[in-house]
Amino acid sequence: MAAPRHFLQFKDLSSDELDYLFERSRIIKARFKAYQRHWPLQDRTLVMIFEKASTRTRLSFEAGMHQLGGSAIYLNTRDSQLGRGEPVEDAAQVISRMSDIVMIRTFEQDIIERFARHSRVPVINGLTNEYHPCQILADIFTFIEHRGPIRGKTVAWIGDSNNVCNTWLQAAEVLDFNVHVSTPPGYEVEAERAGLYGTGHFEQFADPMAAAQGADLVTTDVWTSMGFEAENEERLRDFADWQVDAEMMRAAKTDAVFMHCLPAHRGEEVTADVIDGPQSVVWDEAENRLHTQKALMEFLLLGRVND
Ligand code: CP
Ligand code: NVA
């Protein structure tokens, strides 16, 4: 049996494959909008395992698999044996014998890596503490839709060097664009944890306004990610100056877009006038989770198709 292809971090796909996926997402989205049936995954089953909360990821994978002609099963830690200490390797053996593809949202990246090593079917990272590759697939597709190719562009990341930030940094290396990161002191990017090759596609800035200067895309995320709730009070104080507001958007290019993976906290990492303003593309960004993940599942199960 051939080893399955997984999507555990962004760099698992090459730039050539990503170009294919963005073009395929465009086709799949157009078919969806035209109410055309597209059932390449008829009779296939997706298992979704959630160890953290989700709205967008669950909805986009579940709806997406149905729209591709397959079915989706939701498991969580609370009411499966996963929450009672069954080894992840055993769970992987069993789950992957009963399904065709698996999506996991969990804590440490190591958990999903171990699952994938024991899985007979493709495994997709639906968010770990370290990475959120499906989010950045959708974000870059959204950028391409609004502004064209991302190669050579500058993305400003303001705030926490979290899973979404790490994934932007990997994407910059694979797709050859730049990321300007500004975090409060003590929250800087850790290149090894981010899984970077060190190709010089990102720069850290102490001043968030300097990071936003001339950017084509400004983006941020919550100050406290899931799993880090105990640090919330401290983070509210530490991140107070790392808020994306209208002044920061003015430092970026005049046609810069604003993105946020959502859920957002207005008045914390972003002001309401920015996220609800004319430069914000957050609703397209959220919708595109559906289309890009449909293209991803089709690719992992069928390879490149040209129908
Ligand atoms: N952006 C994102 O992954 O949202 P959910 O947590 O709602 O899945
Ligand atoms: N960084 C956030 C993203 C949520 C979609 C978290 O991990 O909670």
Side-chain angles (χ1 to χ4, degrees):
M1 197 169 60
R5 269 307 281 280
H6 304 300
F7 188 48
L8 306 181
Q9 47 186 308
F10 199 86
K11 65 185 181 187
D12 288 347
L13 293 173
S14 68
S15 71
D16 191 48
E17 288 168 336
L18 288 159
D19 286 344
Y20 164 80
L21 277 185
F22 295 135
E23 175 53 16
R24 192 68 187 158
S25 301
R26 190 186 65 72
I27 293 166
I28 285 174
K29 180 173 183 173
R31 285 185 189 165
F32 174 76
K33 297 285 180 188
Y35 299 98
Q36 283 173 18
R37 181 174 287 183
H38 180 62
W39 280 8
L41 301 186
Q42 205 168 357
D43 298 330
R44 307 284 183 118
T45 304
L46 164 72
V47 171
M48 308 181 295
I49 302 169
F50 283 91
E51 299 207 81
K52 293 175 178 169
S54 168
T55 297
R56 278 145 288 266
T57 303
R58 177 177 178 183
L59 185 57
S60 52
F61 270 106
E62 191 163 340
M65 193 53 170
H66 285 297
Q67 291 163 18
L68 292 170
S71 52
I73 294 172
Y74 171 80
L75 293 179
N76 65 31
T77 321
R78 229 177 12 263
D79 50 19
S80 70
Q81 300 291 4
L82 291 160
R84 297 184 59 253
E86 180 166 15
V88 68
E89 292 80 3
D90 294 3
Q93 292 277 4
V94 174
I95 291 168
S96 71
R97 281 174 184 239
M98 299 191 195
S99 62
D100 299 284
I101 188 162
V102 178
M103 182 245 94
I104 307 179
R105 168 167 287 196
T106 186
F107 293 89
E108 289 77 28
Q109 181 73 9
D110 178 59
I111 298 172
I112 198 169
E113 303 271 354
R114 282 162 51 210
F115 191 104
R117 275 200 295 279
H118 293 84
S119 173
R120 294 181 163 204
V121 302
V123 177
I124 297 172
N125 182 344
L127 181 146
T128 56
N129 290 350
E130 288 83 357
Y131 308 119
H132 196 1
C134 293
Q135 183 66 52
I136 304 308
L137 265 191
D139 291 8
I140 294 175
F141 179 65
T142 306
F143 185 86
I144 294 169
E145 280 189 321
H146 283 267
R147 295 286 180 267
I150 198 162
R151 188 162 193 262
K153 302 286 189 198
T154 298
V155 175
W157 175 272
I158 311 296
D160 191 18
S161 64
N162 62 14
N163 40 14
V164 180
C165 174
N166 287 342
T167 310
W168 270 114
L169 296 173
Q170 282 198 2
E173 292 192 334
V174 180
L175 294 171
D176 192 19
F177 60 91
N178 308 302
V179 186
H180 290 177
V181 180
S182 181
T183 68
Y187 295 93
E188 290 86 358
V189 170
E190 294 168 47
E192 197 178 330
R193 183 172 161 86
L196 302 183
Y197 296 120
T199 51
H201 285 79
F202 94 97
E203 211 179 319
Q204 304 217 53
F205 293 77
D207 176 6
M209 287 296 281
Q213 197 75 44
D216 298 280
L217 189 173
V218 179
T219 185
T220 186
D221 188 10
V222 291
W223 291 340
T224 305
S225 286
M226 292 181 280
F228 298 84
E229 288 81 0
E231 301 172 13
N232 193 36
E233 289 300 308
E234 195 181 338
R235 284 170 170 264
L236 281 174
R237 282 191 299 275
D238 293 347
F239 283 80
D241 294 332
W242 276 261
Q243 180 186 64
V244 179
D245 59 11
E247 192 191 348
M248 204 174 283
M249 289 306 294
R250 276 195 294 277
K253 286 204 177 128
T254 48
D255 69 344
V257 290
F258 172 78
M259 289 192 194
H260 190 308
C261 65
L262 306 177
H265 294 84
R266 289 170 176 77
E268 291 186 17
E269 73 274 7
V270 61
T271 56
D273 59 337
V274 169
I275 194 167
D276 300 319
Q279 287 170 280
S280 174
V281 295
V282 295
W283 310 127
D284 288 343
E285 182 187 1
E287 179 192 323
N288 283 334
R289 295 289 305 278
L290 175 71
H291 311 302
T292 49
Q293 289 161 195
K294 284 167 73 177
L296 175 68
M297 289 191 283
E298 187 190 65
F299 176 71
L300 292 178
L301 285 173
L302 305 179
R304 294 186 196 221
V305 291
N306 52 17
D307 63 320

